[in-house]
Amino acid sequence: MDQCRNCNFLGRCAHGFIVTCTALMLLMISSLTLADTSAVKFGIQPWPGVTVKTEVATDILEVLGYETEKLQLNTPFILHGIVSGQVDVALGGWYPISAAMITPLVEEGKLIRLTANLPHALSGMAVPVYVHEAGVDSVEDLSRYADRFGHKIYGNEAGGTWPTQVQELIDADEYGLGDWKVVTSATASMLVQVGRATDNNGWILFYGWKPHWMNIKYDLYYLKGPEDSPVVDTKATIYTIVRTDYPETNPNVARFLKQFKVDSEIQSQWVYGNSYEQHPAEDVAQKWIAANLDLVEEWLQGVTTAEGEPAFPAIEAAYGS
């Protein structure tokens, strides 16, 4: 994308937000002002995991008698909406990827990280588990098996952060990777290569992350690396972000949101159903809720319906057998 004349692309504008284009920001604001102010308004990045997670949350809230609204926006626009009061909640505050955008707003008291709704996300260099069992445990093992890998590291999004950082390792000949090559393509194309390799017990090194359906489809191992590595074994946390005043003005919904937490395996299952099996997000969410009422009951401890009745009996009546 070309540099915007008003704000540097991915730079911080005068209002403190990471923006791409003033015109797009104004369009986003205009669309948000049309939103139903009585609804619980969720900002949703166009990511399958966040999409299904939001469907689960909104389905539960609607059974409890709340109206909800889902606004699909990119992270900078979601943050602007929360700070301006036009978005209430976002379930995709991914750290460390979005930390530079979110943390300053938290420190300035403009929004709240309510809870870590997925505390154990991960990204980095991945291999099929049989490659790990053959001796590849960490990034430091790669040079010994360079020929088996064809001296290639597969990544997604040419010019993206991860391939660029891997290329920097190669250019610096870190871990003996000086003669390796980064092969980039769309995520779907990269995973086609992974599928072909695993079908034939072939060796492949690629950019993996969880939650994602790849962790359901394939038996993967994430290589170990230095704790400060941006490309190997990078731990991540996904936060629920809310308006600063939301816990005070909407304590019942805020209590549910604070208790609404999943692990990487659950969210990978959601992504598998929605993105890999191509089921609508609402269908995936409703089927999952019906099959996991025990966990839903934990989320609803101390939570009531919009009318003040205990919450879980309403869910049980709607989803129980």
Side-chain angles (χ1 to χ4, degrees):
M1 181 179 294
D2 294 334
Q3 185 182 59
C4 175
R5 288 179 295 176
N6 299 296
C7 298
N8 292 331
F9 175 56
L10 290 185
R12 192 171 291 276
C13 76
H15 297 90
F17 300 103
I18 305 297
V19 296
T20 56
C21 176
T22 299
L24 286 177
M25 182 66 79
L26 291 173
L27 179 61
M28 183 276 296
I29 294 170
S30 174
S31 68
L32 288 180
T33 13
L34 299 176
D36 179 0
T37 55
S38 67
V40 183
K41 295 180 287 295
F42 285 79
I44 312 171
Q45 294 98 330
W47 308 335
V50 175
T51 299
V52 180
K53 184 187 294 181
T54 304
E55 285 289 346
V56 171
T58 56
D59 285 355
I60 290 172
L61 287 171
E62 287 168 5
V63 171
L64 300 185
Y66 293 94
E67 294 182 5
T68 66
E69 185 161 358
K70 290 166 282 194
L71 305 161
Q72 191 169 91
L73 302 162
N74 289 327
T75 300
F77 297 168
I78 288 173
L79 297 177
H80 177 88
I82 291 175
V83 172
S84 63
Q86 295 164 315
V87 174
D88 299 317
V89 185
L91 302 177
W94 192 298
Y95 270 59
I97 295 172
S98 302
M101 288 186 276
I102 298 172
T103 299
L105 299 176
V106 173
E107 292 174 347
E108 293 164 16
K110 293 181 177 180
L111 52 77
I112 295 174
R113 282 184 318 209
L114 186 66
T115 192
N117 66 61
L118 199 163
H120 302 299
L122 175 68
S123 66
M125 293 182 176
V127 296
V129 73
Y130 55 80
V131 173
H132 165 60
E133 291 170 349
V136 181
D137 184 66
S138 77
V139 64
E140 291 155 337
D141 297 320
L142 293 176
S143 61
R144 291 192 290 129
Y145 298 97
D147 291 342
R148 299 291 300 272
F149 288 110
H151 297 249
K152 294 178 182 177
I153 304 172
Y154 290 85
N156 67 341
E157 300 178 6
T161 300
W162 194 84
T164 299
Q165 291 172 329
V166 172
Q167 187 61 55
E168 290 171 356
L169 287 183
I170 291 172
D171 292 342
D173 195 19
E174 292 283 342
Y175 312 115
L177 298 176
D179 60 347
W180 287 55
K181 178 182 179 182
V182 181
V183 180
T184 57
S185 62
T187 298
S189 299
M190 180 189 75
L191 291 175
V192 166
Q193 295 292 333
V194 174
R196 288 174 179 167
T198 56
D199 285 345
N200 297 287
N201 284 330
W203 283 45
I204 187 166
L205 173 67
F206 65 98
Y207 179 44
W209 64 92
K210 54 183 175 182
H212 190 271
W213 63 254
M214 70 178 77
N215 302 282
I216 304 296
K217 177 68 174 175
Y218 308 116
D219 196 3
L220 302 179
Y221 178 80
Y222 289 81
L223 301 189
K224 296 176 183 176
E227 289 187 6
D228 60 349
S229 172
V231 296
V232 188
D233 194 24
T234 303
K235 304 296 190 298
T237 301
I238 304 174
Y239 288 95
T240 298
I241 310 296
V242 300
R243 285 186 355 235
T244 303
D245 65 338
Y246 202 78
E248 181 178 352
T249 58
N250 299 272
N252 190 55
V253 175
R255 179 165 187 155
F256 162 64
L257 293 171
K258 192 168 185 177
Q259 296 172 174
F260 178 54
K261 302 177 183 180
V262 297
D263 60 28
S264 183
E265 182 177 355
I266 289 173
Q267 191 160 317
S268 290
Q269 291 170 352
W270 291 345
V271 177
Y272 184 84
N274 177 230
S275 185
Y276 184 78
E277 295 185 325
Q278 297 292 303
H279 297 306
E282 185 174 358
D283 292 352
V284 174
Q286 292 181 353
K287 183 177 180 180
W288 186 90
I289 291 170
N292 294 274
L293 291 177
D294 288 348
L295 181 54
V296 175
E297 185 175 16
E298 292 180 20
W299 296 340
L300 294 175
Q301 292 294 317
V303 178
T304 69
T305 67
E307 300 299 322
E309 299 296 325
F312 185 66
I315 297 294
E316 200 170 29
Y319 285 97
S321 56

